[in-house]
Amino acid sequence: MSRPTAAAQGGTFLKTAIALQTLTLFFQSVTAGMLLTTSHGYLMHDIGSKVMYAAAMLYVLAAFLAWRPGGGSPRPVLYATGLLLLLLASAQVALGVAHVPSLHVPLGVVMFALSTLALARALARRSLPRPAVRPSSHGARRGSAGRVAVTAGGGRS
């Protein structure tokens, strides 16, 4: 039985962190609705905002750890720090504290959509089969069905 590599563990941690962030953002939308209907909605939304911000920071940590050990793409780190954490989450907290619902609510919707997109990309990345390695164009020709046919001696026919 083989153990998972550091890159595979980093990818799992990244997926888990993105899923947690997406769930906390969804929870925030539920508690935003509770603000309108219950007396304890404010407390739930306030606590949820702190958990959401912590989940966003966990996403940054997971993205960094997934990038460093395996030498993967820094793109998840850029998404986590530039888009979701530093810009949007900080603006969301500031708008919520300032009680500006006309910007706070739509920004929350955008954050949930972007987090869902990041989660879908992270989950799809490993589930798609990898394409086969293409042979070089030297010594190959296209057949009638568009398939590559390699000729003996590397020549084209």
Side-chain angles (χ1 to χ4, degrees), residues 34 75 96 147 156:
M34 290 173 61
R75 187 171 290 166
R147 289 185 225 120
R156 295 181 187 189

Side-chain angles (χ1 to χ4, degrees), residues 5-133:
T5 64
Q9 289 174 340
T12 301
F13 183 41
L14 180 63
K15 291 175 189 177
T16 303
I18 296 172
L20 178 64
Q21 176 181 265
T22 305
L23 285 173
T24 60
L25 286 165
F26 180 74
F27 178 76
Q28 283 301 92
S29 69
V30 171
T31 60
M34 290 173 61
L35 283 168
L36 304 173
T37 58
T38 66
S39 60
H40 63 278
Y42 175 79
L43 179 63
M44 296 293 289
H45 196 68
D46 184 51
I47 292 169
S49 69
K50 291 167 180 61
V51 174
M52 183 279 303
Y53 203 78
M57 288 188 190
L58 183 68
Y59 175 30
V60 171
L61 176 66
F64 183 76
L65 292 176
W67 169 53
R68 293 305 296 164
S73 170
R75 187 171 290 166
V77 176
L78 296 174
Y79 289 157
T81 57
L83 194 57
L84 286 177
L85 179 68
L86 294 179
L87 299 176
L88 297 183
S90 297
Q92 184 70 346
V93 169
L95 290 168
V97 169
H99 300 287
V100 184
S102 60
L103 295 176
H104 183 73
V105 172
L107 184 56
V109 172
V110 168
M111 288 178 65
F112 178 69
L114 290 174
S115 188
T116 303
L117 180 63
L119 179 61
R121 283 184 177 175
L123 293 175
R125 190 174 304 133
R126 293 289 181 202
S127 62
L128 294 175
R130 291 189 166 199
V133 177

